[in-house]
Amino acid sequence: MRLKTYRVATMPEAMVLIKRDLGDDALILNTKKVKTGGLFGLFRKELLEVTAAVETAEESAPQPAVSKAPPAEVTETPEPQSQPTDALMEELKSLKRLIVHEGPEDRLPEPLRPMRRLLEKQGVDEAVQTELLSELLQTVESDKPVQEAFHAELVRFIEQHQQTVQNDSPSIACFIGPTGVGKTTTIAKVAAEQLLEHKRTVGLITADTYRIAAVAQLKTYGEILDVPVEVVESREQLAGALEALKACDVILIDTAGRNYQQAEYVQDLQKLLPDTQHIHTTLVLSLTAKYEDMVHIIGNFGALSIDELLLTKKDETASAGVILNLLHHYRIPLRRIATGQNVPDDLVAATPSLIADYIAGELRHA
Ligand SMILES: Nc1nc2c(ncn2[C@@H]2O[C@H](COP(=O)(O)OP(=O)(O)OP(=O)(O)O)[C@@H](O)[C@H]2O)c(=O)[nH]1
Ligand SMILES: [Mg+2]
């Protein structure tokens, strides 16, 4: 990449120079106002500092052309043309934010604008949009449909940010989360999957004695699947239930749905879980929730380590952008997504291509 910085009085002046030096493919990376000259601060002139770049021969990504403008008198400060350093590339990355997001004039090339609109509509936050679209700017090839490149970029992004679960077959797993997100239903799905697909014996425990129907709900699943169910109210009782079910290959623990926006409920959970033994903890969140609320909830779990995130109710929303936000901002593995009420069918692996389909699907069908 060749980079040049110009100091000019007006933007059209910069355009002429950029076009002359860097050609039609040049891209404006940044514009800022700078004060120059003057004596003791008097008679200082305000100029525009414009940084532009163009890909060199080895880099083939097409860039938007700079529009034509009338010539004018200018002050020019050319940069030495050397290989970009890591620091420079970092700086470029932050400058890309300016290209991707609207400035005084929209600098994002026309073919990428529907993608930005889509990401916005899907609830993808600005930092993630910037990363995705600036990468796309570099990788998109003129002979390939831009939708394909977008899908491929989504897959790359997800692969890069998705963490793998430390223990993908935990023998004791606990499901926690806000009210009504689908914890109990998901436990039934996981229990059935373990029994039927992996031929493991399963035991269920519920610590949800808060809601009258909660115990009955898990017991019903226990009867259908023909697996034992224990009911506990305290850490001591939980230890007893774990002991009683120790012959089972897998023990799944259900908990009461709580408003984890309030930290006191996290403390209640800490009092329930053993302090001597690590239990694989899955935080269940509904995709119908707002991302800001998810952030708040995850923040409250600071002291209690979350081993895995499981997202439910994908079938109830067309927006999947929060998945990208979560993968980008948190290092919590996401392994499964629940896609409906049917036990055991509506539980799928959160693969990069599936998540990319969720996001880009709308664009393809448009
Ligand atoms: N559409 C849809 N509904 C779901 C999904 N998962 C669970 N549900 C439904 O959501 C409702 C609540 O499910 P539960 O499993 O009882 O939720 P919970 O988190 O255990 O609820 P509490 O224990 O009360 O906090 C039920 O009607 C489920 O059938 C899903 O992926 N999609
Ligand atoms: Mg429940």
Side-chain angles (χ1 to χ4, degrees):
M1 182 175 288
R2 265 182 75 202
L3 198 73
K4 276 190 116 175
T5 302
Y6 303 86
R7 286 195 170 177
V8 289
T10 65
M11 200 60 193
E13 295 168 12
M15 298 292 197
V16 175
L17 287 167
I18 292 165
K19 190 170 153 54
R20 185 195 71 194
D21 298 344
L22 302 177
D24 280 339
D25 291 336
L27 186 69
I28 293 173
L29 296 176
N30 193 22
T31 42
K32 68 175 178 198
K33 285 182 179 161
V34 288
K35 293 213 160 86
T36 54
L39 198 59
F40 305 117
L42 298 170
F43 313 115
R44 293 179 82 181
K45 263 204 310 192
E46 194 170 71
L47 290 176
L48 270 181
E49 191 174 275
V50 182
T51 306
V54 70
E55 304 283 5
T56 47
E58 313 88 64
E59 303 158 335
S60 57
Q63 303 287 344
V66 170
S67 60
K68 290 188 171 75
E73 229 178 88
V74 292
T75 329
E76 182 184 334
T77 327
E79 291 277 302
Q81 290 165 22
S82 57
Q83 284 298 310
T85 61
D86 283 354
L88 184 59
M89 291 316 285
E90 267 309 303
E91 195 173 330
L92 271 180
K93 212 168 153 188
S94 68
L95 292 175
K96 278 174 188 162
R97 219 199 124 267
L98 285 157
I99 310 166
V100 170
H101 296 289
E102 313 217 7
E105 55 190 284
D106 201 335
R107 302 181 186 95
L108 194 68
E110 180 62 42
L112 298 190
R113 290 182 202 169
M115 278 87 199
R116 186 178 56 196
R117 279 197 292 275
L118 177 83
L119 292 173
E120 245 158 40
K121 196 172 148 212
Q122 289 271 338
V124 174
D125 71 24
E126 204 180 279
V128 178
Q129 282 184 31
T130 302
E131 186 173 329
L132 279 166
L133 293 173
S134 61
E135 281 298 317
L136 195 60
L137 259 175
Q138 303 199 21
T139 54
V140 75
E141 287 163 30
S142 48
D143 57 337
K144 247 200 197 166
V146 74
Q147 275 98 331
E148 253 176 55
F150 180 56
H151 191 274
E153 178 50 34
L154 283 167
V155 169
R156 186 207 63 80
F157 176 93
I158 297 158
E159 279 170 351
Q160 187 193 340
H161 291 283
Q162 196 168 22
Q163 309 288 318
T164 48
V165 180
Q166 289 244 319
N167 180 359
D168 65 359
S169 184
S171 51
I172 308 176
C174 174
F175 292 72
I176 60 174
T179 60
V181 290
K183 297 176 292 299
T184 308
T185 311
T186 302
I187 285 180
K189 292 174 184 173
V190 173
E193 176 198 84
Q194 290 293 320
L195 275 170
L196 307 173
E197 275 179 39
H198 304 288
K199 312 288 177 219
R200 296 196 185 110
T201 55
V202 177
L204 302 177
I205 297 176
T206 179
D208 185 1
T209 50
Y210 178 75
R211 246 182 353 104
I212 294 164
V215 173
Q217 190 187 2
L218 199 72
K219 282 200 166 162
T220 304
Y221 284 125
E223 276 163 29
I224 295 169
L225 298 168
D226 195 20
V227 299
V229 179
E230 298 280 336
V231 182
V232 302
E233 284 191 68
S234 64
R235 184 184 274 175
E236 294 68 36
Q237 287 185 3
L238 178 60
L242 290 171
E243 179 63 23
L245 297 174
K246 69 171 186 236
C248 297
D249 298 326
V250 180
I251 300 173
L252 305 172
I253 306 169
D254 195 8
T255 60
R258 288 298 199 187
N259 174 9
Y260 288 113
Q261 306 236 15
Q262 291 174 14
E264 68 204 66
Y265 291 124
V266 177
Q267 288 155 19
D268 285 352
L269 207 57
Q270 277 175 308
K271 283 184 210 145
L272 173 77
L273 296 174
D275 52 3
T276 49
Q277 178 187 13
H278 178 75
I279 289 184
H280 185 94
T281 305
T282 299
L283 174 62
V284 183
L285 294 174
S286 167
L287 280 165
T288 58
K290 286 203 202 96
Y291 179 60
E292 294 74 45
D293 296 338
M294 295 183 177
V295 167
H296 201 172
I297 291 167
I298 296 173
N300 273 347
F301 279 102
L304 193 110
S305 76
I306 301 167
D307 297 289
E308 185 176 342
L309 193 63
L310 194 149
L311 299 171
T312 59
K313 308 201 182 182
K314 172 62 196 84
D315 55 309
E316 288 192 20
T317 175
S319 297
V322 294
I323 305 179
L324 299 188
N325 298 348
L326 289 164
L327 293 178
H328 184 259
H329 295 295
Y330 298 96
R331 300 179 63 82
I332 311 173
L334 169 71
R335 192 162 46 135
R336 287 179 290 207
I337 294 174
T339 56
Q341 294 180 288
N342 294 321
V343 178
D345 292 343
D346 295 339
L347 190 65
V348 297
T351 60
S353 64
L354 180 79
I355 301 169
D357 284 350
Y358 286 159
I359 308 277
E362 212 176 307
L363 203 62
R364 284 182 168 179
H365 302 140

